Amino acid sequence: MSLVVTGATGQLGRLVIASLLRTTPAADIVALVRSRAKAADLEALGVTLREADYGRPETLAQAFRAGDKVLLISSSELGKRDAQHRAVIKAASAAGVAQVIYTSVLHADTSKLGLAADHRDTEAALAASGLSWVVLRNGWYTENYAASIPPALAHNAFIGGAGNGKISSAARADYADAAAIVLTRDIPSGTIYELAGDEAYTLTEFAAAIEKAAGKPVPYVDMSEAEFKKALEGAGLPEPVAALLSDSDAAAAKGALFDDSRTLSKLIGRPTTPYVDTVKAAVKA
Ligand SMILES: NC(=O)c1ccc[n+]([C@@H]2O[C@H](COP(=O)([O-])OP(=O)(O)OC[C@H]3O[C@@H](n4cnc5c(N)ncnc54)[C@H](OP(=O)(O)O)[C@@H]3O)[C@@H](O)[C@H]2O)c1
């Protein structure tokens, strides 16, 4: 039986493999990748590579073996994800894999985030597949907001549209550890984990953490969804990405990124990474 990680050359996938390698022989790990060249470092660690593209079903036919446990990391190709995930589930089912573990989004069933629709569809496809399945409903990565620290430092303002919404984000590495643990344990089919950080903050508090780390004023400037989208497009982001981020902040203002269950820290057996640590690292970089 192999532990198969899709999206293995992505940021989360690499962290899952690093986490798995702490407890599992490399010979038991398969990285499903689009590009062998991009995965040369994983191969050098002894991880087996299989090539497949979610968007090319003919490549997925060779991707899985009977008995594999598969972590399906959701695709980053917005607008194509539902069909891509369904193609992966179909191939996994045809191969007779032991279980599919899917990275969904926090509170996918009720979430007001626009991007939750794809995740709801994929969760429904899994439930209808006849496969054994587990869903990791991942909350926000703290790195999503930390990515805006360089422009915030350049312009002396941290912009957003989340109002006073509380955000329970965690570091990618925290979600990766959770995925590795679920891959290596026997988890009953139908288990859903709502995963989020231990602490919740508003973007005003996030900006205050930037100010403290940088030693200069970087106030939070709250915008309407339309204003924030326009500002992101003005900064050079493509329209669909600006739309997704501004929609996500508008939903966060209404609590879509908040969860206080501490399921993530219970699962990984340690506190989640404090957001202030992620902020400090980003300011230092
Ligand atoms: N929870 C959050 O805050 C949050 C934030 C952003 C995204 N996400 C979701 O979580 C996923 C993982 O996050 P991440 O940070 O690791 O994203 P990432 O670094 O962009 O990685 C995405 C991975 O998906 C792979 N992929 C994309 N399209 C594919 C296709 N057609 N066939 C096969 N593989 C494909 C990419 O392959 P290549 O390496 O070949 O490009 C990459 O390995 C994202 O894809 C997205 O669905 C969650």
Side-chain angles (χ1 to χ4, degrees):
M1 185 197 83
S2 296
L3 305 179
V4 182
V5 178
T6 78
T9 45
Q11 299 167 88
L12 181 68
R14 284 185 182 282
L15 290 169
V16 173
I17 293 202
S19 186
L20 279 174
L21 284 169
R22 291 199 280 273
T23 59
T24 307
D28 294 345
I29 303 171
V30 172
L32 203 73
V33 299
R34 285 197 285 192
S35 156
R36 275 191 173 265
K38 198 174 171 186
D41 58 325
L42 298 177
E43 195 168 29
L45 294 170
V47 171
T48 301
L49 304 186
R50 290 185 202 152
E51 277 177 271
D53 186 323
Y54 300 157
R56 293 167 50 221
E58 69 281 9
T59 65
L60 289 167
Q62 308 300 320
F64 307 113
R65 312 277 184 273
D68 284 348
K69 275 185 92 175
V70 178
L71 175 67
L72 169 53
I73 292 187
S74 52
S75 171
S76 48
E77 297 186 323
L78 299 172
K80 300 182 183 169
R81 296 200 295 187
D82 183 29
Q84 291 183 342
H85 296 162
R86 282 173 189 272
V88 175
I89 291 165
K90 195 172 168 195
S93 192
V97 309
Q99 188 167 67
V100 174
I101 299 150
Y102 173 65
T103 62
S104 181
V105 73
L106 189 66
H107 306 145
D109 51 342
T110 56
S111 179
K112 300 275 188 284
L113 293 162
L115 59 80
D118 285 347
H119 292 296
R120 272 193 290 276
D121 288 345
T122 302
E123 288 192 10
L126 266 180
S129 68
L131 284 164
S132 170
W133 58 271
V134 172
V135 167
L136 306 174
R137 288 187 177 158
N138 289 347
W140 230 225
Y141 305 149
T142 308
E143 289 88 342
N144 297 345
Y145 285 122
S148 301
I149 290 180
L153 292 176
H155 299 289
N156 299 318
F158 185 83
I159 63 168
N164 290 317
K166 287 265 183 191
I167 295 153
S168 317
S169 70
R172 259 195 202 87
D174 301 330
Y175 298 107
D177 281 354
I181 284 168
V182 169
L183 266 168
T184 49
R185 281 195 197 150
D186 278 337
I187 309 287
S189 180
T191 303
I192 296 173
Y193 294 96
E194 302 286 357
L195 301 178
D198 289 343
E199 338 157 76
Y201 54 85
T202 63
L203 290 187
T204 302
E205 290 165 333
F206 194 84
I210 301 172
E211 288 184 338
K212 196 163 176 210
K216 66 170 185 172
V218 187
Y220 175 56
V221 177
D222 194 50
M223 298 180 169
S224 70
E225 184 177 346
E227 284 167 345
F228 185 38
K229 179 173 181 249
K230 211 170 153 196
L232 292 172
E233 286 183 77
L237 290 189
E239 191 277 336
V241 179
L244 180 123
L245 293 177
S246 54
D247 167 84
S248 298
D249 260 20
K254 296 178 193 140
L257 300 180
F258 177 75
D259 179 272
D260 60 0
S261 67
R262 296 186 173 229
T263 307
L264 177 52
S265 53
K266 284 176 208 151
L267 185 59
I268 62 181
R270 61 168 175 82
T272 57
T273 307
Y275 74 93
V276 169
D277 290 3
T278 307
V279 168
K280 277 186 199 156
V283 168
K284 213 170 157 193

